[in-house]
Amino acid sequence: MPDSRPGYTAQRTPLGLISRRLVASVYDLTALAACWLAAYWLRFNLTLPDDYLRAALLSLGGLVPVYALLFWLSGLYRGIWRYASLMDLRRIIVSVGLGGLITAVLVFMAGIPGVPRSVLVLHPILLILTMGGGRFLYRAWKDRCLYGHLALSGESVLILGAEEAGERLIRELQRSHQWRVAGLLDNDPAKHGREVHGVKIRGDIASMVHWAKELEVGHVIVAMPSVSAAVRRGAMEQAVQAGLKVLTVPALDDLLSGRVSLSQIRQVELEDILGREPVQLDAAGLSRLIAERTILVTGAGGSIGSELARQIARFAPRQLVLFEVSEFALYQIEQEFRRTFPGLDVVCVVGDVKDEARLQQVFAAYRPALVFHAAAYKHVPLMESANAWEAVRNNVLGTWRVAMAARQAGVEKMVLISTDKAVNPTNVMGTTKRMAERVVQSLEQAGGGTQFIVVRFGNVLGSNGSVIPTFREQIARGGPVTVTHPDIIRYFMLIPEAAQLVLQAGLMGNGGEIFVLDMGEPVKIVDLARDLIRLSGFTEEEIPIEFTGLRPGEKLYEELLADNEMTLPTPHAKLRVAKAESAPEEAWIGDLARWLEAPPADVAGIKAGLARFVPEYRPQ
């Protein structure tokens, strides 16, 4: 019957495979006979009497068929000598050990003369050494023929980390035309001066600059996937500041499982340097919250909305409804989910969060248990003047209508994605998000069954329209990289981290809370620009930085909490809950409703209205 494996062709099987197996079996059986005679020779101190020589030769007649059968049954000839491994050695040990046991039993039970007991011990040892040694010597010879000339070729590289990841990486790189491993660096002093696959561990990571100059190395590979993000980030920053080109490897699980390859070694990105510790999720709690339930995500084609959908999909909802106004963005996320979650029931709905009738239709049709509201206009300068009224309607009226539809449909929880720009806002976008927070707080106070929860966080790296993609485009064009102000700072986190913490907040919230994500330390934007230029392989002389001045609505420092708010700890280390002022009164909501339904005013009138509803708003 022909083999149905992909890529299998009949031309590969008959003669070549049979001849290789025949050569291997002949070698093993020859080794069997030679080791049997050598065991006798050693037993009699290198002088073998004639009668024992005859006994040894006669006993080989029964020994060879037994061992030949065992070698075949153990699968010894399924392996290829070129890739001899510990699995092949284990098969040799098992088959030879079993053969030695059978031989001993036959000798003692049948009373076969002329077989000393010491031969029964020596023979298996010699045979294992000969069979295993032959295979590994052949592999070493082939490796040297194929890759030995590469030891003096390729570009010199230092590897940071001498653990399992570094060891596997060295084995990969020793077969590469592109790289030559000049040394290892590791912070464990006990390893200094020792070798891994012939590569010396030169010193600790702090000595990177010294060894890079000493060994004339221009690249380093960070192979420390199991250490903390802070340690890994420190090593990357040191390499970048030294002007070295930095590469990194995949996760430790992929390396240890053998899935690593040279193509997976990639250039370090800014996200790696700013990387944070992994989020610890209450997986059991989230599974109870999401599994076998219908979940709706608005703004599902955006950076946060799409990542939320991916994280939700991991917990096997019964149905995932993706609500998005952009047809193209919805198409992209639909195609992705067809590939990555083929068994998940995903419903893609084109709709506008301001469209009350469409929302009611969707909520009535799918009856979601949870709603994550990520749809928003978020670009500060774009929303500041000419598009101010659209920001108001989308961010405030859209939130209101989604929240009302959720309450009418009996949704258990609705989570609003907010922003640090809602705190003491100085721009239209931040003010509209603060108004959206107050809207859902008002609905929470009014009751009705649905729990309304707010999650507030800062910038996420790599989101649509954010600073990092803009910097990359400017570097690709040859610069300059434009930064608005040398002192401007922002809080940053990774998109998956933000999405995971939003889910965690949704699990922990009971309604009315404003959860604040731990954003870590603020980062200077100009430092991000410098790091990204270096990571791209340029200097500031080649790609200059220009300061263009603050844009409309932009402020130097973002805050996560308003002055009249305080935070309280939660059971989760990266989530705190803000104790805000009381929810707005009913008159505030009624006044807001009339304002939202009125014809749009000029920009000055819109900003005056925003100041009326959000007293802390201070337009620039």
Side-chain angles (χ1 to χ4, degrees):
M1 180 179 292
D3 198 319
S4 61
R5 289 172 293 179
Y8 179 89
T9 56
Q11 288 85 350
R12 294 175 56 185
T13 49
L15 296 177
L17 184 59
I18 292 173
S19 62
R20 284 195 297 270
R21 289 181 174 178
L22 182 60
V23 169
S25 62
V26 168
Y27 172 84
D28 290 341
L29 294 178
T30 302
L32 167 71
C35 290
W36 182 253
L37 295 175
Y40 272 87
W41 190 50
L42 292 172
R43 162 65 179 80
F44 291 100
N45 298 321
L46 312 184
T47 303
L48 184 57
D50 290 341
D51 53 344
Y52 277 101
L53 175 59
R54 284 192 296 272
L57 294 173
L58 287 172
S59 56
L60 274 175
L63 206 63
V64 169
V66 171
Y67 273 90
L69 181 62
L70 288 173
F71 290 162
W72 186 263
L73 292 177
S74 67
L76 202 56
Y77 304 115
R78 289 200 294 265
I80 300 174
W81 281 35
R82 169 69 189 83
Y83 304 108
S85 64
L86 290 177
M87 177 62 71
D88 296 294
L89 181 60
R90 189 174 70 177
R91 287 172 178 161
I92 290 171
I93 293 173
V94 169
S95 58
V96 171
L98 188 57
L101 183 62
I102 293 172
T103 302
V105 170
L106 290 175
V107 166
F108 288 116
M109 291 188 65
I112 299 175
V115 182
R117 284 174 292 183
S118 55
V119 168
L120 299 176
V121 176
L122 283 171
H123 176 248
I125 296 173
L126 293 173
L127 187 55
I128 289 171
L129 291 174
T130 304
M131 291 174 64
R135 283 162 170 78
F136 286 99
L137 283 172
Y138 178 79
R139 174 172 177 172
W141 173 70
K142 290 292 288 185
D143 282 349
R144 183 169 184 82
C145 288
L146 291 176
Y147 307 118
H149 68 284
L150 298 177
L152 299 177
S153 65
E155 194 159 1
S156 296
V157 64
L158 280 172
I159 294 178
L160 308 187
E163 299 293 340
E164 292 94 338
E167 182 270 333
R168 285 187 175 270
L169 185 58
I170 289 173
R171 281 199 281 166
E172 290 282 341
L173 294 181
Q174 284 178 336
R175 301 177 179 182
S176 168
H177 290 271
Q178 185 178 2
W179 304 108
R180 180 175 62 84
V181 183
L184 282 159
L185 299 179
D186 195 278
N187 284 334
D188 184 356
K191 297 177 181 176
H192 296 170
R194 302 175 71 181
E195 292 186 353
V196 177
H197 296 307
V199 178
K200 190 172 182 179
I201 303 174
R202 305 282 181 172
D204 57 21
I205 293 172
S207 63
M208 182 195 316
V209 176
H210 164 75
W211 287 112
K213 291 179 180 178
E214 179 78 14
L215 301 171
E216 298 181 350
V217 169
H219 291 75
V220 298
I221 300 178
V222 180
M224 303 184 296
S226 61
V227 303
S228 69
V231 173
R232 195 163 54 250
R233 182 169 61 247
M236 291 176 182
E237 286 177 345
Q238 185 180 346
V240 169
Q241 290 167 6
L244 299 171
K245 292 184 179 179
V246 192
L247 306 170
T248 190
V249 296
L252 182 61
D253 289 343
D254 291 333
L255 289 162
L256 297 184
S257 65
R259 293 192 294 268
V260 67
S261 66
L262 291 175
S263 62
Q264 291 175 286
I265 298 171
R266 60 175 177 82
Q267 187 169 347
V268 164
E269 300 287 356
L270 198 57
E271 289 87 342
D272 297 304
I273 292 183
L274 295 176
R276 293 147 61 90
E277 297 294 343
V279 174
Q280 300 300 319
L281 294 176
D282 180 359
L286 287 172
S287 182
R288 289 192 300 270
L289 181 72
I290 293 172
E292 294 303 318
R293 309 182 81 188
T294 298
I295 316 295
L296 186 144
V297 179
T298 70
S303 305
I304 296 298
S306 60
E307 184 60 30
L308 268 172
R310 295 181 194 101
Q311 299 291 342
I312 290 168
R314 293 169 48 205
F315 294 97
R318 182 176 63 83
Q319 191 175 60
L320 181 57
V321 182
L322 305 179
F323 191 95
E324 171 60 53
V325 71
S326 168
E327 178 196 28
F328 180 64
L330 193 60
Y331 169 77
Q332 286 183 308
I333 194 72
E334 178 196 36
Q335 294 302 303
E336 176 188 333
F337 272 62
R338 280 187 176 180
R339 294 190 305 271
T340 55
F341 301 101
L344 180 63
D345 183 7
V346 178
V347 179
C348 295
V349 178
V350 176
D352 191 332
V353 292
K354 301 187 296 295
D355 188 341
E356 185 176 9
R358 180 61 165 158
L359 286 170
Q360 290 177 349
Q361 177 192 32
V362 171
F363 276 76
Y366 300 108
R367 312 298 297 184
L370 300 172
V371 173
F372 292 89
H373 180 47
Y377 289 147
K378 64 179 185 178
H379 198 277
V380 170
L382 197 61
M383 297 294 113
E384 190 60 23
S385 297
N387 301 306
W389 188 243
E390 288 306 308
V392 170
R393 286 181 56 77
N394 194 71
N395 293 357
V396 183
L397 181 61
T399 298
W400 195 341
R401 288 185 171 166
V402 170
M404 291 297 294
R407 190 166 70 171
Q408 291 168 10
V411 169
E412 180 182 317
K413 289 184 179 183
M414 172 178 160
V415 180
L416 168 66
I417 311 300
S418 190
T419 171
D420 56 357
K421 295 173 179 63
V423 182
N424 295 326
T426 61
N427 53 64
V428 169
M429 194 282 285
T431 308
T432 60
K433 294 299 285 184
R434 179 62 184 137
M435 291 172 71
E437 291 180 358
R438 300 196 76 191
V439 165
V440 297
Q441 285 181 310
S442 174
L443 292 175
E444 172 67 30
Q445 188 178 51
T450 301
Q451 298 173 345
F452 294 97
I453 300 156
V454 176
V455 182
R456 186 188 287 167
F457 54 87
N459 301 276
V460 288
L461 285 172
S463 64
N464 297 332
S466 67
V467 66
I468 305 304
T470 302
F471 284 170
R472 288 191 175 116
E473 290 175 7
Q474 291 174 337
I475 292 169
R477 291 197 304 266
V481 172
T482 57
V483 179
T484 56
H485 193 283
D487 296 324
I488 191 168
I489 63 172
R490 290 292 182 267
Y491 294 91
F492 283 98
M493 70 181 356
L494 303 178
I495 295 176
E497 181 185 11
Q500 290 167 0
L501 288 173
V502 167
L503 293 184
Q504 189 68 42
L507 172 65
M508 295 167 56
N510 296 311
E513 303 98 337
I514 296 180
F515 284 96
V516 181
L517 305 192
D518 173 16
M519 299 294 297
E521 295 299 319
V523 179
K524 271 193 170 185
I525 299 297
V526 68
D527 291 340
L528 288 184
R530 290 188 179 117
D531 285 342
L532 198 55
I533 290 169
R534 293 192 192 104
L535 287 173
S536 301
F538 299 102
T539 65
E540 285 187 56
E541 288 73 28
E542 295 169 315
I543 305 288
I545 295 175
E546 288 185 1
F547 297 103
T548 59
L550 292 175
R551 298 173 297 179
E554 193 172 45
K555 56 183 178 179
L556 283 177
Y557 313 104
E558 299 291 2
E559 307 157 87
L560 291 179
L561 291 173
D563 295 336
N564 62 338
E565 291 177 327
M566 62 179 180
T567 62
L568 298 172
T570 72
H572 197 284
K574 290 195 174 186
L575 286 171
R576 296 183 68 84
V577 64
K579 181 66 177 176
E581 78 275 8
S582 59
E585 298 177 355
E586 189 174 340
W588 185 91
I589 290 292
D591 194 12
L592 176 63
R594 288 187 291 273
W595 185 61
L596 290 173
E597 295 300 333
D602 57 17
V603 174
I606 294 170
K607 292 185 176 182
L610 292 174
R612 179 158 55 93
F613 291 106
V614 182
E616 64 266 32
Y617 170 47
R618 295 289 183 270
Q620 291 180 339

